[in-house]
């Protein structure tokens, strides 16, 4: 395991994106349990992309415009739905503090879908992982699986840290209606912006 891979992965994971924003929102709305479940769901959501990259299936998304566009616009539609739900204070990600254990499945499913419906992740891993496989590696597939596991651990730890931060300020948010409104609208704008960004991406 190279220091270059660890540092590069750390920068990539720590960069705010859909998963980080979702985990923070989950921590604010549902507390520590919800934030950890969201972090786990976001981590699980990148597994199919990693497996696709390792198996070479990501090349399909790179060469097939229809496959890429279909997955991309499913992701755009889901992000816009998340923005709408947050703006109207509906669904799991509301900020009224009334989120129970029954929402655990909804939290993890939403988290998985956020990363699963992003075709750029498959292409990213397809280009990223091979850079850290050398000619001296006797089993390139095993090496990429090892790198993928480390990347997933970093993803979970950093996202959990984002969630923990959200939990520390949760009471201040829940006791102030004006802050709730500002946070809710900010998250809605963030999800909508990410949807637009995804819509404008190309292979």
């Amino acid at each position: 395991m190279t220091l270059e891979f660890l540092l590069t992965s750390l920068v990539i994971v720590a960069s705010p994106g859909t998963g980080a924003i979702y985990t923070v929102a989950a921590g604010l709305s549902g507390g520590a349990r919800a934030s950890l479940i969201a972090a786990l769901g976001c981590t699980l959501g990148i597994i199919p992309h990693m497996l696709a990259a390792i198996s070479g299936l990501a090349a399909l998304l790179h060469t097939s415009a229809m496959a890429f566009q279909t997955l991309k616009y499913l992701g755009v539609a889901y992000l816009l739905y998340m923005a709408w739900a947050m703006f109207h204070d509906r669904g799991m990600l509301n900020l009224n503090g009334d989120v129970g254990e029954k929402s655990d499945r909804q939290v993890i499913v939403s988290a998985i879908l956020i990363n699963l419906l992003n075709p750029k992740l498959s292409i990213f891993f397809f280009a990223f992982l091979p850079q850290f496989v050398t000619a001296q590696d006797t089993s390139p597939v095993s090496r990429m699986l090892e790198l993928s596991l480390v990347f997933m651990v970093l993803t979970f730890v950093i996202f959990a840290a984002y969630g923990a931060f959200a939990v520390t300020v949760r009471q201040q948010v829940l006791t102030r209606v004006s802050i709730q409104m500002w946070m809710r609208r900010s998250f809605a704008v963030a999800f909508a912006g990410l949807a637009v960004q995804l819509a404008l991406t190309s292979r």
Side-chain angles (χ1 to χ4, degrees):
M1 189 64 54
T2 65
L3 179 61
E4 183 183 5
F5 173 80
L6 291 175
L7 291 177
T8 304
S9 298
L10 186 63
V11 171
I12 292 169
V13 175
S15 301
T18 53
I21 292 173
Y22 182 82
T23 303
V24 170
L28 289 172
S29 61
R33 179 184 177 89
S35 68
L36 286 175
I37 292 175
L40 176 62
C42 289
T43 303
L44 294 176
I46 66 178
I47 292 179
H49 297 290
M50 288 182 167
L51 294 179
I54 293 173
S55 65
L57 292 179
L60 174 63
L61 290 176
H62 185 66
T63 58
S64 172
M66 180 175 293
F68 181 87
Q69 294 295 329
T70 298
L71 188 57
K72 183 178 78 171
Y73 284 112
L74 283 174
V76 169
Y78 190 72
L79 286 172
L80 289 176
Y81 164 75
M82 294 294 293
W84 176 86
M86 177 60 73
F87 187 81
H88 292 283
D89 202 19
R90 298 181 180 181
M92 193 289 301
L93 292 181
N94 60 71
L95 298 178
N96 58 21
D98 185 24
V99 179
E101 294 182 0
K102 64 180 180 180
S103 298
D104 287 357
R105 179 180 297 180
Q106 187 176 357
V107 174
I108 198 167
V109 168
S110 296
I112 290 173
L113 287 175
I114 280 177
N115 276 343
L116 184 63
L117 295 176
N118 185 355
K120 297 295 287 186
L121 282 175
S122 285
I123 296 175
F124 164 74
F125 287 119
F126 187 68
F128 177 66
L129 293 178
Q131 296 182 40
F132 301 95
V133 178
T134 65
Q136 288 73 36
D137 291 315
T138 57
S139 178
V141 172
S142 297
R143 176 64 170 170
M144 285 194 288
L145 286 173
E146 177 188 349
L147 295 173
S148 298
L149 180 60
V150 172
F151 191 93
M152 288 173 58
V153 171
L154 286 175
T155 298
F156 177 77
V157 171
I158 292 176
F159 279 22
Y162 275 127
F165 169 76
V167 172
T168 61
V169 299
R170 183 171 183 253
Q171 287 305 315
Q172 286 73 19
V173 173
L174 296 182
T175 56
R176 293 174 173 82
V177 176
S178 59
I179 294 180
Q180 289 183 42
M181 182 177 298
W182 179 83
M183 291 291 292
R184 189 168 62 245
R185 290 177 178 176
S186 297
F187 281 124
V189 170
F191 279 119
L194 290 167
V196 172
Q197 182 181 26
L198 180 59
L200 295 177
T201 58
S202 60
R203 294 176 293 157

